[in-house]
Amino acid sequence: MADLIGDITAALLAEFGFKPAGKYLQKGLCPHCKDKSRSLWTWADKPYVVLCERKNNCGYEGSVKDLYPDLFNSWTERYQLPEQAKPVEQRNPNAAAEAYLQQARGFKLALVKGLFTQETYFDQKADNGRGVGTATVRFQVANTWWERLIDRPWRFGKKKANFKYGGAYQGCWWSMPSLSFASPDPAAPADAPKPPIELWLVEGIFDAIALAHHGVVAVALLSCNNYPEKALAGVREQIRHQGGLVAEPTLIWALDSDKAGREYTLKYVARARADGWTCEAAQIPQRGRRKQDWNDMHERGELAQEHLDEYRYHGALLIAGTALEKALLMYQHDGRPDFEVTHHHRLYWFRLDLERYAKARDHINELIAEGKREAVPDDAQAADALRECVALQPIANCDPQALYYQRNEVTGEAWYYFRVAFPHGEEVKGTFTAGQLTTAVEFKKQLLHMAAGAIFSGSSGQLERMMQRQLERIKVVQTVDYIGYSATHKAYILGKVAVRNGQLHETNAEDYFDFDKLAIKSLQKSIGLGINTRTEEYERGWIGHLWNAFGAKGYIALAYWVGSLFAEQVRAEQMSWPFLEIVGEPGSGKTTLIQFLWKLFGRDYEGFDPSKSTSAGRLRTFTQVSNLPIVLIESDRETKNGNQAHVKSFDWDELKDAYNGNNIRTTGVKTGGNETYDPPFRASIVISQNNPVQASQAIMERICHMTFDTRGFTPASYESARALEKVEINQVSGFILASLKHEAEVLKDLVDKTEQHTQFILEQEGVHKPRIAKNHAQILTVAEAMRRLVPITQNQFHQVREQLVTMAQERQRAINADHPLVQEFWEAFDFLNGTPLHTPHGPKDVVRLDHSRDPRQIAVNLNEFVEMASQHRQQVPMLTDLKKVLRTSKTRRFVDVKGVNSAIRLKKDDSTGQETGRTVHCWVFEFPTKPTRKT
C-alpha cells in the first residue's frame, strides 16, 4: 500500500511545498488564505486531509480525494493486475478491494476481514453503449447484497453502487457480525461484545464501519428511505427472550446531513417513539463544498468523544420539539444571551434577560431553603430559571438562509444567493445585494419581492447580528454571464447540466456546479437548454432521416454544429473558425434543418434577425453563448417600389472580427472610471436566408456557403424531413452530451488533420486562397471525426468531401467575381455610355458618362449616372448600397474618389473662346486590360 501513500506525498510536496517533520508534513502554503507563514499541514503516514493551522482566520480543509481524484480511481490496475505475476497459490483475490478499504476508506483490515468479497460489475449501456466494467467491494445484506464500484466510477454516471434484488433489504439493516442483544455469558472474556446501550443508525455500510473503529455500535440502513421495521422487531424479540437482563437500546438516528437525511430523521424519530423506542439524533455540521459523512469524519480524525458530543448536539437541535426547546439547547451550548432561532422553517429571536435570570435563580434557592421546593440538581435549577426569563419573538414566517456569494467580474456587480424555506415545504431561491442586507426595511422589501408572502419583522440590529453569523466565511461561487464553454474553467455550462473533461455534472441543490476545487454557475437566464441526461432515452433513428432528407449538405451542416462546440479551442489553436451560410428558396428545407440541429442541442429555436435589432441588442445576443451557433435569419431584404428597401439591411462587416474570436463591439461600464466592456466573440455564426450574402471580400472569404433547392426531392426525402420535424427535444438532446464526451478526440483530429485537408483542397482545380481552403478543411476534419458519433458509409463520406471541395471552388469563383451590385452597375454603365465609344489607345468619340481624359481610366459621377439611368428607364442599385461595394470592383479596379478635369463637361473661356474641362467629382476606375468596348 506504500506506493499510493508515496504518490499522494509526492503530489502534496509538489503542490503545497510541505516540509517533512517527523510524523507530520508541515509548512505548506495554504491555497485559501495564502498565509506567508505557511500554515498548511497533514499527517505523514496518512496524508488524506490537509488542514490550515489558522482555524479561526481560515480553517481550510482539503481532502486528497478531491485534490487528486485520479490517484483513487484505478484500484485494479494498481493492486490487482500485479497479482497476476505471482504464482496462483500466492495471489490475493481481494487485493484491489483490500487496498480500496484501507487506502480510500481508512479502515483497519483486521476489523473488516471476512465481511466482504471482491467481485466485478459490467454495465453494457455505459460509455455510449460500448460497456465498461469495474471491480467491486461486495457486502452481504439480508437476503441480497450491496457492492461499491471502485474503478473509475465516474464512467457509470451517477451510479456508484449496485444492489441485487433492489427491494430485498427493505426493513432490514447491515451490521457488524459482533452485534448481539443476547445476555452476556458470565464466562466470556471481559472484552467480549456486550449488548449495546446505544445503537446508531446510519445510511452507508462504510459509515457503520467507520464508527465501529471508535467503539460506536452502528447499523447501516443502505438508504435514508429504509425504515428498519423488521430489524427493530427482531431486536425486541431477541431482548424479550433474555428475561429482563438486557434493556432496549437508545436509538441514535445518524442519517446524512442533507435535506433528505434530515427529513427522514424527523420522520423516523416520530415513528420510532410512537413504537415505544427511546430516540436521539446525531448530525454532522456541513462545511465546504462536498457533503461529509461518518467515513469522512473517521478519515479526518474527528470521531473522538468531544466530536461525537458535538454531533449529538446538532442532532438534538434537529429533533427539538419546539422553538423554545431548541433555543434553550443553543443557549446552554454557546452561552449567547440573544440570537436567531429557526424552527420548522420559521425564524425567531431569542433573548435572555440576565437580571431576571439571576433573580429567578435566587428565588428558587430561597424556596429550597425554606423547604417549599425539593432540592434538584443545579442543571435542573438553571433550566427552570431560564424558562421564566426568556423571550422568544417571531421575526419571520420563513427561513432565509445565505448560501453563497457570487460576483460578475466584468461589471463588478455582486449578490448574495439565498434560499428561503417555508413551513409548508416550498423553497424559493434568489439574490440580495449588499445594500439590501444592511437595513431591515430593504431586506423586508426584497424578501417579499423574491418569495411570495415572506414577511420579515425584525429590526436592523437583529438583521445585522443574523447576517454576521450567516455570512462569515461564506462560500464564493465564480460566475460566467453566458451559456456554453468557459475557456477559463475548461467546462461547458449548459443550463442545468455541465460537462468537464468528458464527465457529466448536474447542478447541486444550491444551483451551481461543483468541480473538485471549482464552484461555478452561469448568470445567463435568457436561454434555456432542455438537455435530457438519461442516455437510455437518446434515440439515434434520426441519423438516416437526416441523410435521406438533406444528403451530404445536411451532414456538413451537422458537422458545423458539432464543430461549433469546440470553436473557442479551435480558434486558440488555429486562430479562426469559419461562418456557415445556408441559402435557398422558400420551401427548400432550411428551417426544418436548422430547427432540428437545435433540437440536438436541447433548444427549441431557429435564429434571430439582426436587421430588427439595435447594435446594443446584437452585442448582447452575440455574447449570450459560447461554443454554440448564433443563427442570423432573413438578414437580406427584398425591395419595394423598385429601389426602396423597406428595412435597413445588416452590415456584414460587423462580423469581420468574430471570425478570429475578437470583440465585435466595445461598450462602457457604469463605474466611476473609464472601464470598458469588450468581450471576445466566443460562438460561431450561421447565416440562413433566401439570397446569398453580398459583402466585402474579407467577409466573403470567411463564409462557407451551401445552397439548398427543391430539386431532387422525393416522397421518401419528404417523409424523412417530416420525421425530423416531429422529433421531440428530449428524444435527441442527448447528442450534445455524447459529442462533448469526445472533446479530446475531436480536438486532436483538428490539430493533426486540418493542415492535411487544407493542402488537399488547395490541390483541387480553381482553389488558390489559403483561407478558403482552411475554412472548408476545418469542417471536413470535424465531419471525419464525427463518424464516431454519426456513422456513415465510406461512399457517403466521399460525397461529403466532394461537396466541401465543390463549396470551396464556388466560394473561390464568388471571390474572383465582382459583387452582383457592381456587375449591375457596369452593365448599366456600358449600356448608357454607348458602344463603341473609345479604345484605350484610340481617339475619343462622343462620351456620355466617362469624364476621364486618361484613356487608361474611367471616371464616373454617380449622381449623373443615376439621372441618366432614370431617363433611359434603367433599374440601378440604390446609391447608398452601391457606394459600399464599388470599391471592391475587380474587372475594372477601383482607383480613387476625387475631382476630375472632365472630358465631356466643358466650359468656354469668353476671353479666348477656347473650351476647357470642368472639375467633376468622380469615382475613378482602371480601364479593363481586355477592352469591353469597341473602337
Side-chain angles (χ1 to χ4, degrees), residues 647-870:
V647 178
K648 182 180 179 181
S649 62
F650 174 62
D651 184 1
W652 295 106
D653 279 342
E654 283 190 26
L655 302 178
K656 186 183 296 183
D657 291 330
Y659 177 75
N660 305 105
N662 299 322
N663 65 299
I664 57 178
R665 186 169 179 262
T666 299
T667 59
V669 178
K670 292 182 179 180
T671 65
N674 57 358
E675 290 82 4
T676 59
Y677 179 48
D678 49 355
F681 182 75
R682 304 181 181 94
S684 64
I685 295 291
V686 177
I687 304 162
S688 174
Q689 53 191 28
N690 295 334
N691 300 316
V693 169
Q694 304 297 341
S696 65
Q697 179 173 329
I699 291 294
M700 299 292 282
E701 287 184 4
R702 287 161 164 78
I703 296 175
C704 297
H705 172 92
M706 285 195 298
T707 301
F708 285 73
D709 53 43
T710 56
R711 290 178 298 175
F713 271 20
T714 65
S717 62
Y718 173 77
E719 289 302 320
S720 288
R722 291 276 293 167
L724 295 178
E725 290 177 343
K726 294 178 181 178
V727 167
E728 298 292 336
I729 289 177
N730 66 338
Q731 295 174 303
V732 296
S733 58
F735 176 79
I736 186 174
L737 301 180
S739 301
L740 294 177
K741 289 180 180 178
H742 289 278
E743 175 186 1
E745 295 100 312
V746 174
L747 292 178
K748 185 176 187 301
D749 285 350
L750 281 162
V751 171
D752 295 345
K753 299 182 179 180
T754 299
E755 183 60 31
Q756 171 189 336
H757 289 151
T758 301
Q759 293 301 322
F760 166 74
I761 294 177
L762 282 172
E763 291 169 2
Q764 307 305 306
E765 182 179 355
V767 182
H768 59 266
K769 277 277 188 180
R771 177 184 285 172
I772 294 175
K774 176 186 175 184
N775 292 342
H776 293 81
Q778 287 176 319
I779 299 179
L780 177 58
T781 303
V782 177
E784 184 176 9
M786 198 173 67
R787 296 179 71 181
R788 301 182 181 95
L789 286 167
V790 187
I792 57 175
T793 65
Q794 192 62 28
N795 179 54
Q796 288 173 323
F797 179 70
H798 285 321
Q799 294 180 48
V800 170
R801 186 169 59 187
E802 290 172 3
Q803 177 62 38
L804 281 164
V805 169
T806 300
M807 289 165 57
Q809 292 169 333
E810 291 175 347
R811 181 69 359 180
Q812 185 69 67
R813 287 195 293 271
I815 295 300
N816 295 341
D818 273 333
H819 191 284
L821 294 182
V822 177
Q823 294 178 26
E824 290 181 33
F825 169 78
W826 287 121
E827 287 174 5
F829 174 86
D830 288 340
F831 174 79
L832 296 171
N833 204 38
T835 305
L837 295 177
H838 66 64
T839 65
H841 308 291
K844 292 196 172 184
D845 199 347
V846 177
V847 178
R848 302 165 70 180
L849 289 177
D850 186 359
H851 291 269
S852 177
R853 292 180 179 275
D854 186 343
R856 294 168 300 179
Q857 292 183 337
I858 301 171
V860 187
N861 178 272
L862 295 185
N863 293 317
E864 188 178 78
F865 165 78
V866 172
E867 181 182 11
M868 189 72 70
S870 177

Side-chain angles (χ1 to χ4, degrees), residues 323-339:
L324 180 59
E325 180 184 344
K326 184 175 182 179
L328 293 174
L329 285 169
M330 295 171 69
Y331 170 74
Q332 291 164 353
H333 184 267
D334 298 331
R336 290 178 292 158
D338 58 340
F339 49 85

Side-chain angles (χ1 to χ4, degrees), residues 238 295 357 371 383 586 602 605 699 820:
Q238 188 177 7
N295 192 181
Y357 176 69
Y605 184 67
I699 291 294

Side-chain angles (χ1 to χ4, degrees), residues 346-418:
R346 291 183 182 274
L347 187 61
Y348 302 85
W349 190 263
F350 171 88
R351 184 176 180 277
L352 172 65
D353 189 328
L354 294 176
E355 185 176 346
R356 286 183 60 192
Y357 176 69
K359 291 180 179 180
R361 289 294 302 267
D362 292 342
H363 181 62
I364 291 174
N365 289 329
E366 289 174 2
L367 292 176
I368 294 174
E370 294 172 1
K372 296 179 181 180
R373 180 169 179 168
E374 293 184 5
V376 294
D378 191 62
D379 290 345
Q381 286 186 32
D384 290 342
L386 277 173
R387 294 180 185 278
E388 296 181 18
C389 54
V390 297
L392 197 64
Q393 171 195 0
I395 59 173
N397 62 347
C398 57
D399 178 16
Q401 287 291 323
L403 300 179
Y404 50 85
Y405 173 83
Q406 59 186 41
R407 176 182 173 88
N408 186 328
E409 295 296 338
V410 175
T411 64
E413 297 175 287
W415 307 267
Y416 290 88
Y417 199 70
F418 272 68

